[in-house]
Amino acid sequence: MDKIVVTGGTPLQGEVRISGAKNAVLPILCATLLADAPVEVTNVPHLHDVLTTTRLLSGLGAGVQHDLERGRVTVDPRSVTSHVAPYELVRTMRASILVLGPLLARYGAAEVSLPGGCAIGARPVDLHIKALEALGATITVEHGFIRAQAGRLRGGHVVFETISVGATENVLMAATLADGTTLIDNAAREPEIVDLAECLIAMGADIRGAGTSRIEVRGVERLHAATHAVIADRIETGTFLVAAAMTGGRVTAVGARPDTLGAVLERLRHAGATVEVDGDCVTVDMQGRRPRAIDIVTSPHPGFPTDMQAQFMAMNCIAEGTGTIDETIFENRFMHVSELMRLGAEIDIDGPRASVHGVERLSGAPVMATDLRASASLILAGLVADGETTIDRIYHLDRGYEHIEQKLSGLGARIQRVK
Ligand code: UD1
């Protein structure tokens, strides 16, 4: 199995081009199932989760053309014959649940394996089910499958008791083909929801309010062919900017969407970085200084993203002072803590709060990645640790970061993948 070896000590310098967002491209690829003609998606990052999604779509019978070089995927849903998302795909990628709404809306039936638990928490699917039931679906959960059926879905009023990105996306997609108007209240406001809505609108959907907590969808009879370019990945951007700040360097993220990074840039400024935004470029300059420890509370957008929590924890490990990190979204998202402590970090955990006492130096050691963003935090820690840090189980990383070693090497990091 591949490993990544990082030799710490070099401040990162230079420019890095940001890829399309993983969390936008996955729902958008699922949304292509709603159309009655081919949909072309561009700015598609080369990620393992994208390959899993295209396998899922092909398995349903869709025609999928994937041009890896150009980052372009064209899905022709006209040949879809199956409505089953099997266990072996869903268990490797929870986002497979995002075919539930589109299949149900377009074909009147969907069977999606239950994703089950995952490393960062229980992550149930009750909100997805209740929301689709509000549009008239009949749903049962048996033999490890969610089985959903409906004639044409009808518009309804969905009020989420908890904000869920995935459940908002599922019901948003389903509502586009429903009979009548759907109101979604307490909707997730993530930029990826806005990007999905923009793609659906290009396909002919009638959607207002995406990006706010009330989304209104007027159902249409059909959705047609479209081309959509995926939004820049704000989590990838944030990861490189934290890497710059931690190493005392200066990095410009090019092709980014600074407007989606509010809470992250604000925390970087708090840590002492100079942050400059110029169009689609954002620069973090730490001028060789050590970051100050910062406090973080994760919350739904526009709050601080849980997907950046592990990376900021890595920064706090070598910052001046003590910073607290409160994880409010997922109940088990501190698995990187014990690995960071192997590198010499000083962290206390008390329920959902981690207190990180900054140390002057970390020391390289073998560590193990436990989930996607945890892997990124270990690479960041390795960039500032003395000597070599070897990160095992990096398949998590390949699910969500495109060419991360090449991009970091381009900024001067000493990093390589070894077999
Ligand atoms: C998405 C992102 C993930 C990010 C997360 C939170 C994708 C592909 N993944 O995941 O990277 O970390 O948003 O920003 O976009 N919940 C329920 N019942 C449900 C659904 C969710 O209780 O039916 C809970 C979850 O356990 C969690 C919270 O709601 O505590 C938020 O989860 P949700 O927003 O649904 O996350 P995902 O869409 O799975």
Side-chain angles (χ1 to χ4, degrees):
M1 216 182 297
D2 292 6
K3 294 180 186 187
I4 280 185
V5 181
V6 185
T7 308
T10 318
L12 299 191
Q13 302 282 349
E15 289 187 356
V16 61
R17 178 154 285 280
I18 300 306
S19 300
K22 169 180 97 69
N23 286 354
V25 72
L26 304 182
I28 285 169
L29 288 173
C30 295
T32 62
L33 291 170
L34 291 159
D36 60 10
V39 175
E40 182 187 56
V41 187
T42 63
N43 200 31
V44 174
H46 182 23
L47 300 176
H48 204 264
D49 275 4
V50 168
L51 299 177
T52 305
T53 308
T54 56
R55 270 176 64 206
L56 178 60
L57 296 174
S58 306
L60 297 169
V64 179
Q65 284 183 328
H66 192 169
D67 182 345
L68 283 173
E69 287 293 304
R70 292 213 179 101
R72 191 180 298 242
V73 175
T74 305
V75 182
D76 186 345
R78 287 174 296 189
S79 47
V80 167
T81 47
S82 160
H83 52 258
V84 182
Y87 180 60
E88 68 263 23
L89 290 180
V90 182
R91 93 189 148 81
T92 63
M93 189 189 67
R94 197 189 136 80
S96 312
I97 185 130
L98 296 172
V99 296
L100 183 63
L103 285 175
L104 184 63
R106 178 82 171 86
Y107 301 99
E111 286 185 38
V112 178
S113 168
L114 278 172
C118 86
I120 64 173
R123 298 179 97 181
V125 290
D126 54 315
L127 300 170
H128 298 249
I129 292 176
K130 271 192 225 159
L132 293 171
E133 282 173 342
L135 301 195
T138 305
I139 302 183
T140 54
V141 178
E142 53 187 10
H143 306 301
F145 270 85
I146 308 164
R147 295 187 211 277
Q149 283 198 311
R152 187 173 179 197
L153 292 171
R154 49 170 201 271
H157 190 186
V158 176
V159 185
F160 283 114
E161 67 211 44
T162 308
I163 298 178
S164 162
V165 176
T168 301
E169 291 167 343
N170 243 333
V171 74
L172 170 63
M173 292 188 279
T176 58
L177 288 180
D179 183 13
T181 299
T182 299
L183 275 183
I184 309 170
D185 273 317
N186 204 22
R189 291 182 278 167
E190 269 63 7
E192 294 76 23
I193 305 258
V194 178
D195 202 39
L196 170 64
E198 281 173 6
C199 177
L200 290 166
I201 290 167
M203 291 159 66
D206 185 347
I207 301 169
R208 278 150 230 217
T212 74
S213 50
R214 167 170 279 199
I215 305 178
E216 183 181 332
V217 187
R218 294 183 194 183
V220 296
E221 295 281 334
R222 57 177 286 261
L223 295 178
H224 50 64
T227 296
H228 178 79
V230 175
I231 191 176
D233 196 313
R234 65 195 165 100
I235 306 301
E236 186 200 23
T237 309
T239 303
F240 285 117
L241 297 180
V242 172
M246 281 178 75
T247 58
R250 178 190 162 92
V251 167
T252 300
V254 178
R257 277 286 298 267
D259 57 314
T260 64
L261 283 156
V264 164
L265 300 184
E266 190 261 339
R267 293 285 85 188
L268 282 166
R269 287 194 176 102
H270 240 81
T274 305
V275 179
E276 280 167 33
V277 171
D278 181 10
D280 72 355
C281 294
V282 48
T283 302
V284 158
D285 192 353
M286 204 64 189
Q287 292 155 356
R289 293 189 307 263
R290 183 180 175 194
R292 281 194 295 271
I294 48 166
D295 298 334
I296 282 167
V297 181
T298 64
S299 61
H301 195 77
F304 187 90
T306 174
D307 287 350
M308 283 302 301
Q309 180 256 103
Q311 300 88 318
F312 273 78
M313 187 182 298
M315 181 164 77
N316 268 351
C317 289
I318 49 95
E320 210 174 317
T322 293
T324 57
I325 298 193
D326 291 273
E327 172 58 62
T328 72
I329 309 285
F330 293 112
E331 70 270 27
N332 188 21
R333 209 171 196 182
F334 282 149
M335 284 167 312
H336 40 287
V337 166
S338 50
E339 299 302 306
L340 289 169
M341 287 172 77
R342 288 178 52 74
L343 301 176
E346 291 183 11
I347 306 171
D348 302 319
I349 295 200
D350 183 8
R353 168 168 291 188
S355 301
V356 187
H357 314 286
V359 294
E360 297 250 349
R361 316 211 63 80
L362 295 176
S363 65
V367 288
M368 206 158 65
T370 48
D371 70 59
L372 170 54
R373 304 306 168 185
S375 331
S377 76
L378 296 174
I379 291 188
L380 298 189
L383 290 173
V384 295
D386 290 337
E388 273 191 3
T389 298
T390 306
I391 302 148
D392 203 349
R393 300 210 179 155
I394 53 155
Y395 49 84
H396 292 290
L397 204 64
D398 296 330
R399 290 190 38 220
Y401 285 94
E402 183 175 49
H403 306 315
I404 190 164
E405 322 89 90
Q406 290 94 318
K407 288 189 181 188
L408 284 170
S409 300
L411 297 171
R414 285 181 286 164
I415 179 169
Q416 56 177 338
R417 187 178 288 246
V418 294
K419 293 281 175 200

